[in-house]
């Protein structure tokens, strides 16, 4: 049962207030804690089981989780392990009785923020909450910020993608080197640009180069510049990309493809914070932040000897891992609608969106090329469509493969049941009829599955008309009507 205790009906959804998630099967204690935290100015969501907490976390990421250790079914320690895996930056405070103190101490050693022994003084609780929120303050600033211009190019409502964006916003405040891992087409350069826009270097240049796309003989000159006459064809001096990015950010895409001799020279520039153009006798100071990206396994490349260990540790101060499109399928309708808006203008057509069967086909398809492949498919169907709603036949032709059915519950493993139900509800925006159809289950059985996992359809309904328009391509007032 989801008790859904709110801090204050008048400001429970105020994005500027810290949101806390309480987990305890003692209804009286849950109510008392909610009242105390409400009086201190926090938004509160309260649930009575670990399963309910995980269902809530699939939709909303709070600033802090406070959980009892002893819970029915999955206990608080198991909940903490799940949170640590899916939301590594989210602090957790455990509430424990005297008999379970050793478990709480063990959890602290494993990474839990802290624990409180029942009964506890409310002042101690509030002090612990304040200190935990100090840890997650950058996350809260991101979650509550009205200005999302820094990440405007990244369209997503995926909890996993938003976790990466939260981490990116946190790291953007400093100058630490960032290594972005992700498959080709997953949006590594977009994330690098977002970090730059969220940083204090936002008004300075952002310069990008693909290290695997330029021949080795030219890459050194491109990066470090050259003086006139340094080599055949050097008819004039060039500053190079490091000096062009001075004061700003240099993005080194596919850094794993950089030849070893240039890795040595790059390491020297990073150590000395100075660059010597090809043919020059003096180095010039340079102040740049390095963000690099690769689809390769640099750990394996390092052990094979094709990537320098010292350079690896210089670049890999903070690592961000982008999920593939297959891992954020709930974003496919949103991305497709976003692409249509720009492509409709490009091709001079009025395109409202995809026919339901066509959208289902997009959601179900495999996307080895990730977001880049999705964009190419959407562009192809926009170029060829002669109707305001793009039909499934065009989508199937663009995919060049038979459509793949969404897995039914019977085909999914039991331990993935909750994740599967969450995914189909996200895809359908909380519409149980559509979700049940996608899952190949009747509504009655589907509701039983939702109840088993403490999932409420209302949790997944789109919060604003903009997201709905992005999915359908039509204003809300026109939905369900003929074009």
């Amino acid at each position: 049962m989801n008790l859904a205790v709110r801090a204050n009906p008048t400001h429970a959804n105020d994005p500027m207030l810290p949101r806390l998630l309480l987990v305890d099967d003692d209804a009286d204690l849950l109510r008392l804690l909610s009242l105390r935290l409400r009086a201190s100015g926090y938004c509160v969501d309260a649930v009575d089981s670990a399963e309910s907490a995980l269902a809530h976390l699939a939709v909303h990421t709070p600033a802090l989780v406070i959980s009892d250790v002893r819970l029915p079914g999955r206990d608080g320690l198991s909940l903490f392990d799940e949170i640590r895996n899916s939301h590594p930056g989210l602090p957790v405070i455990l509430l424990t009785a005297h008999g379970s103190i050793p478990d709480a101490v063990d959890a602290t050693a494993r990474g839990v923020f802290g624990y409180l022994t029942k009964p506890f003084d409310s002042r101690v609780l509030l002090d612990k909450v304040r200190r935990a929120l100090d840890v997650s303050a950058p996350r809260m600033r991101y979650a509550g910020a009205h200005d999302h211009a820094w990440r405007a190019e990244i369209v997503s409502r995926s909890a996993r993608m938003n976790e990466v964006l939260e981490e990116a916003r946190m790291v953007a405040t400093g100058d630490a080197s960032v290594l972005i891992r992700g498959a080709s087409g997953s949006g590594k350069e977009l994330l690098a640009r977002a970090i730059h826009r969220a940083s204090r270097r936002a008004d300075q240049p952002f310069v990008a180069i693909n290290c695997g796309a330029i021949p080795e003989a030219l890459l050194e000159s491109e990066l470090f510049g050259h003086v006139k006459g340094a080599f055949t064809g050097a008819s004039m001096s060039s500053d190079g990309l490091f000096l062009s990015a001075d004061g700003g950010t240099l993005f080194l895409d596919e850094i794993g493809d950089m030849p070893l001799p240039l890795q040595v020279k790059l390491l020297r520039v990073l150590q000395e914070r100075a660059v010597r153009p090809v043919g020059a006798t003096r180095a010039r100071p340079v102040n740049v932040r390095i963000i690099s990206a690769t689809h390769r396994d640099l750990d394996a490349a390092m052990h094979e000897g094709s990537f320098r260990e010292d350079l690896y540790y210089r670049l890999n101060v903070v690592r961000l891992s982008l999920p593939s499109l297959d891992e954020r399928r709930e974003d496919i309708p949103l991305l497709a609608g976003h692409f249509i808006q720009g492509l409709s203008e490009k091709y001079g057509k009025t395109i409202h969106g995809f026919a339901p069967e066509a959208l289902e086909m997009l959601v179900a398809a495999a996307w080895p090329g990730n977001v880049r492949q999705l964009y190419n498919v959407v562009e192809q169907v926009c170029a060829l469509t002669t109707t305001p709603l793009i039909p499934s036949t065009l989508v199937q032709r663009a995919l060049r493969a038979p459509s793949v059915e969404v897995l039914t519950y019977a085909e999914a493993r039991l331990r993935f049941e909750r994740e599967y139900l969450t995914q189909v509800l996200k895809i359908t925006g909380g519409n149980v009829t559509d979700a049940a159809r996608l899952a190949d289950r009747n509504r009655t059985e589907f509701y039983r599955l939702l109840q088993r996992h403490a999932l409420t359809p209302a949790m997944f309904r789109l919060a604003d008309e903009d997201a709905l328009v992005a999915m359908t391509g039509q204003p809300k007032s026109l939905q369900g009507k003929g074009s």
Side-chain angles (χ1 to χ4, degrees):
M1 181 179 112
N2 189 333
L3 300 182
V5 179
R6 293 289 188 180
N8 186 324
T10 62
H11 63 248
N13 293 314
D14 187 340
M16 300 308 292
L17 294 178
R19 180 183 291 274
L20 313 181
L21 176 61
L22 305 183
V23 191
D24 201 310
D25 61 331
D26 185 334
D28 292 334
L29 179 59
L30 204 58
R31 189 171 295 107
L32 178 61
L33 285 176
S34 299
L35 290 172
R36 287 176 177 175
L37 293 166
R38 175 183 66 185
S40 298
Y42 299 114
C43 290
V44 178
D45 292 309
V47 296
D48 60 0
S49 70
E51 290 296 340
S52 295
L54 292 172
H56 185 89
L57 286 166
V59 183
H60 303 290
T61 303
L64 170 67
V65 175
I66 303 173
S67 173
D68 192 12
V69 171
R70 301 300 182 194
L71 294 170
R74 187 195 298 250
D75 63 19
L77 294 172
S78 176
L79 172 62
F80 163 66
D81 287 335
E82 186 86 14
I83 292 173
R84 182 179 58 179
N85 290 332
S86 59
H87 298 75
L90 179 57
V92 176
I93 294 174
L94 293 179
L95 308 179
T96 175
H98 285 287
S100 57
I101 288 178
D103 289 337
V105 173
D106 175 62
T108 303
R110 287 153 53 190
V112 74
F113 181 82
Y115 66 92
L116 292 171
T117 305
K118 300 177 183 178
F120 46 81
D121 187 281
S122 61
R123 290 172 297 180
V124 176
L125 168 67
L126 293 175
D127 178 66
K128 184 79 75 174
V129 168
R130 279 191 294 270
R131 288 192 284 119
L133 292 178
D134 285 341
V135 172
S136 64
R139 172 193 302 274
M140 290 160 52
R141 283 197 296 272
Y142 159 68
H146 293 292
D147 179 12
H148 286 183
W150 70 279
R151 52 155 293 183
E153 293 182 314
I154 301 176
V155 178
S156 177
R157 58 188 177 95
S158 157
R160 183 165 178 184
M161 189 66 181
N162 282 332
E163 186 74 22
V164 175
L165 289 169
E166 290 168 7
E167 294 174 353
R169 183 65 179 262
M170 291 166 66
V171 75
T173 59
D175 272 340
S177 297
V178 179
L179 176 63
I180 301 174
R181 287 275 292 115
S184 295
S186 57
K188 297 187 288 294
E189 183 170 343
L190 289 181
L191 182 59
R193 289 183 182 276
I195 294 171
H196 173 73
R197 282 195 295 268
S199 75
R200 60 179 182 230
R201 297 175 180 264
D203 295 332
Q204 300 300 317
F206 176 90
V207 178
I209 182 173
N210 188 319
C211 299
I214 299 177
E216 180 178 353
L218 299 178
L219 185 56
E220 181 178 6
S221 175
E222 282 290 315
L223 286 172
F224 311 128
H226 62 263
V227 298
K228 181 179 178 180
F231 50 83
T232 302
S235 57
M236 61 181 65
S237 297
S238 171
D239 283 343
L241 298 183
F242 261 91
L243 290 172
S244 296
D246 193 24
T249 302
L250 179 62
F251 176 57
L252 303 175
D253 197 7
E254 298 305 346
I255 188 68
D257 295 333
M258 178 175 281
L260 275 170
L262 280 181
Q263 292 180 30
V264 177
K265 295 179 180 180
L266 174 60
L267 179 63
R268 185 180 300 116
V269 171
L270 299 182
Q271 289 173 334
E272 299 176 358
R273 296 183 178 276
V275 58
R276 185 164 68 88
V278 178
T281 57
R282 292 184 180 179
R284 297 171 58 181
V286 65
N287 172 24
V288 296
R289 183 194 195 156
I290 299 295
I291 301 178
S292 51
T294 182
H295 72 281
R296 294 184 58 194
D297 184 346
L298 290 189
D299 295 279
M302 193 169 52
H303 290 113
E304 293 168 359
S306 60
F307 200 86
R308 291 184 61 92
E309 183 176 2
D310 43 9
L311 178 59
Y312 173 81
Y313 291 115
R314 280 277 180 177
L315 299 174
N316 189 31
V317 177
V318 176
R319 176 184 293 200
L320 300 177
S321 296
L322 275 174
S324 67
L325 188 57
D326 286 340
E327 296 172 309
R328 43 182 287 224
R329 289 184 177 273
E330 63 269 33
D331 283 343
I332 292 174
L334 202 61
L335 286 163
H338 174 72
F339 295 152
I340 281 178
Q341 292 177 14
L343 291 168
S344 296
E345 182 177 350
K346 177 179 178 180
Y347 288 99
K349 298 181 179 180
T350 300
I351 304 175
H352 296 317
F354 288 87
E357 299 81 3
L359 192 58
E360 288 181 19
M361 193 174 292
L362 287 177
V363 171
W367 295 102
N370 293 288
V371 180
R372 184 184 296 124
Q373 181 189 4
L374 175 63
Y375 180 85
N376 291 338
V377 167
V378 174
E379 179 166 21
Q380 179 175 331
V381 298
C382 284
L384 296 176
T385 188
T386 57
T387 59
L389 283 182
I390 298 170
S392 60
T393 51
L394 279 183
V395 172
Q396 186 167 355
R397 174 180 170 185
L399 291 172
R400 297 174 185 166
S403 61
V404 179
E405 293 296 329
V406 176
L407 289 175
T408 65
Y409 166 70
E411 296 168 329
R413 294 182 181 180
L414 183 60
R415 66 193 183 106
F416 290 125
E417 184 178 88
R418 174 172 50 81
E419 287 83 354
Y420 178 82
L421 294 172
T422 298
Q423 187 178 82
V424 294
L425 281 171
K426 285 181 177 179
I427 290 170
T428 61
N431 186 305
V432 174
T433 299
D434 290 345
R437 180 165 54 81
L438 285 174
D440 196 20
R441 285 291 183 273
N442 62 53
R443 284 170 57 90
T444 301
E445 182 180 2
F446 196 80
Y447 270 117
R448 284 201 299 268
L449 292 174
L450 297 185
Q451 186 175 17
R452 180 187 306 172
H453 292 278
L455 291 167
T456 305
M459 298 166 61
F460 299 86
R461 293 194 182 113
L462 295 177
D464 53 55
E465 185 176 337
D466 290 341
L468 191 57
V469 170
M471 291 175 64
T472 64
Q474 298 183 15
K476 187 175 182 180
S477 60
L478 296 181
Q479 288 167 21
K481 300 180 181 179
S483 59

